[in-house]
Amino acid sequence: MTREFLKMHGLGNDFVVIDARNTPYSPAEAEVRAIADRKTGVGCDQFIVIEPAKTDGTAGFMRIRNADGGEVSACGNASRCVGWLLMEEAGAERVAFETNAGILRASRADNGRITVDMGPANLDWAQIPLAEPADTLRLDAVSHGGFAGPTAVSMGNPHAVFFVDDAEAVPLAEVGPVFENHPAFPERTNVEFVQVLSPTAVRMRVWERGAGITQACGTGACATAVAAIRRGLTNRKVDVILDGGTLTIEWREDGRVLMTGPVALSYTGRLSPELVAV
C-alpha cells in the first residue's frame, strides 16, 4: 500500500510528513532510511508522522524520526510545520499538539511566520542527559580539535553549544560526529557552534544527531539562545542566524522558550510500493 506525503521545510531543514490519524503507519527503521535517502528516496532530515491525539484538547501527536531511522522527542522546525498544517486544517489562529517531549502550542505570527512555545529549557545534567553529574554551563571535560567547554541544554533533546570566534571556520563535518558521539552524552547529542554578533544576534551552525549537517535546527536555535543568555552574552530575545535563514528565539522570564520562524510546503506526493516495502 502506498502513502500520501507532504514535503515541507523550515529554513531548509526538510521533512517528509505523513498524516496517519485515520490510517495507522509505523515504518521500520530501514523503511525510514529508504524514504530519507536523497538519491533513491524522497530525501529528508527528519521523517514526521502525525498520529491521533492522545490528550483531550490537542489536535494530534507528532512522532519524529531522524534520517537514520531512530526516533527522537523534539524537532523545532518540524513543530512549526505541523503546527501550521493543523491550524490550516482547522482554520484556527492557534493549536496544541503532542510530542514525546510534551504538549506544544503553535500560533500565527507576523509575515506568515509561526511561533511555537517549546516549553521550558532543561538545564540539569540528568535532564540532558549527561553520563555523570556536571555543571551544564560549561563542560570543560568535553573537548576535541581545539574546541572545548560547551554549554549543555535539553529542549526535549540534548544539545552541546560551543561559542567560537568564527562559526564559518569550524570544520563541522570533522568535529560534529566526534562530539555527537562523545561519551559525556549517553544518548548522543546535537552540536552547535555559535558566534555572538551582538546582544540581539548570533550566527549558528549545526550538526544534528542522526542527520549530520543541516540548514537549520529549531531546538538547536532554542538551545543556543538559552546558552548565550545563561553566559550573559545576549539579551533574552535573540535572532539566531542559520545556514537556511533566521529564527527569533525568546527565553521568557517564566522559563519557557518561544521560537518564531517560517514554514514552507514544497510539494505533495505518494510513496511508491517499492520504497515503503523495505
Side-chain angles (χ1 to χ4, degrees):
M1 182 175 64
T2 64
R3 303 291 307 222
E4 293 183 350
F5 71 90
L6 298 90
K7 181 67 183 291
M8 302 190 72
H9 74 89
L11 299 178
N13 183 197
D14 62 336
F15 318 105
V16 168
V17 183
I18 291 179
D19 187 345
R21 285 174 293 173
N22 294 321
T23 304
Y25 183 47
S26 183
E29 286 192 6
E31 190 172 334
V32 174
R33 289 195 297 270
I35 295 167
D37 190 287
R38 296 191 182 278
K39 289 185 171 60
T40 58
V42 178
C44 62
D45 293 324
Q46 278 84 28
F47 179 85
I48 309 298
V49 177
I50 305 174
E51 300 177 355
K54 305 177 188 297
T55 303
D56 289 344
T58 62
F61 182 95
M62 181 177 77
R63 192 169 300 280
I64 309 159
R65 309 277 288 276
N66 278 336
D68 66 359
E71 185 170 354
V72 295
S73 297
C75 180
N77 288 315
S79 297
R80 291 200 315 282
C81 291
V82 169
W84 177 81
L85 283 172
L86 296 173
M87 284 188 286
E88 289 290 296
E89 177 183 79
E93 293 297 307
R94 59 190 69 248
V95 70
F97 57 97
E98 300 169 274
T99 71
N100 280 328
I103 294 176
L104 302 181
R105 290 173 172 81
S107 59
R108 299 184 191 273
D110 59 339
N111 300 317
R113 299 189 302 167
I114 302 297
T115 295
V116 178
D117 180 345
M118 298 293 291
N122 299 311
L123 307 176
D124 184 79
W125 73 272
Q127 295 173 314
I128 305 299
L130 300 178
E132 58 185 21
D135 181 357
T136 59
L137 184 61
R138 184 179 179 92
L139 303 178
D140 289 318
V142 177
S143 64
H144 175 78
F147 302 100
T151 296
V153 181
S154 173
M155 291 302 307
N157 54 0
H159 294 269
V161 183
F162 292 84
F163 291 95
V164 298
D165 294 332
D166 184 357
E168 311 302 332
V170 175
L172 193 54
E174 297 175 20
V175 298
V178 174
F179 287 117
E180 175 189 352
N181 296 285
H182 193 284
F185 301 96
E187 295 181 5
R188 300 182 294 153
T189 189
N190 301 279
V191 189
E192 289 80 28
F193 291 90
V194 181
Q195 177 183 348
V196 177
L197 304 176
S198 75
T200 59
V202 300
R203 170 74 171 107
M204 180 193 113
R205 297 177 64 209
V206 61
W207 176 275
E208 288 200 56
R209 176 183 62 171
I213 297 174
T214 59
Q215 294 293 298
C217 176
T219 58
C222 293
T224 286
V226 168
I229 294 162
R230 288 187 70 198
R231 290 203 179 189
L233 301 174
T234 65
N235 299 339
R236 296 195 74 92
K237 187 173 183 179
V238 60
D239 286 338
V240 181
I241 303 168
L242 307 132
D243 288 351
T246 300
L247 293 174
T248 300
I249 309 297
E250 181 179 4
W251 190 21
R252 300 192 316 200
E253 295 288 349
D254 64 3
R256 302 188 75 83
V257 181
L258 303 185
M259 171 194 59
T260 301
V263 303
L265 173 60
S266 301
Y267 57 86
T268 62
R270 184 176 289 274
L271 300 174
S272 70
E274 292 79 10
L275 188 60
V276 299
V278 175

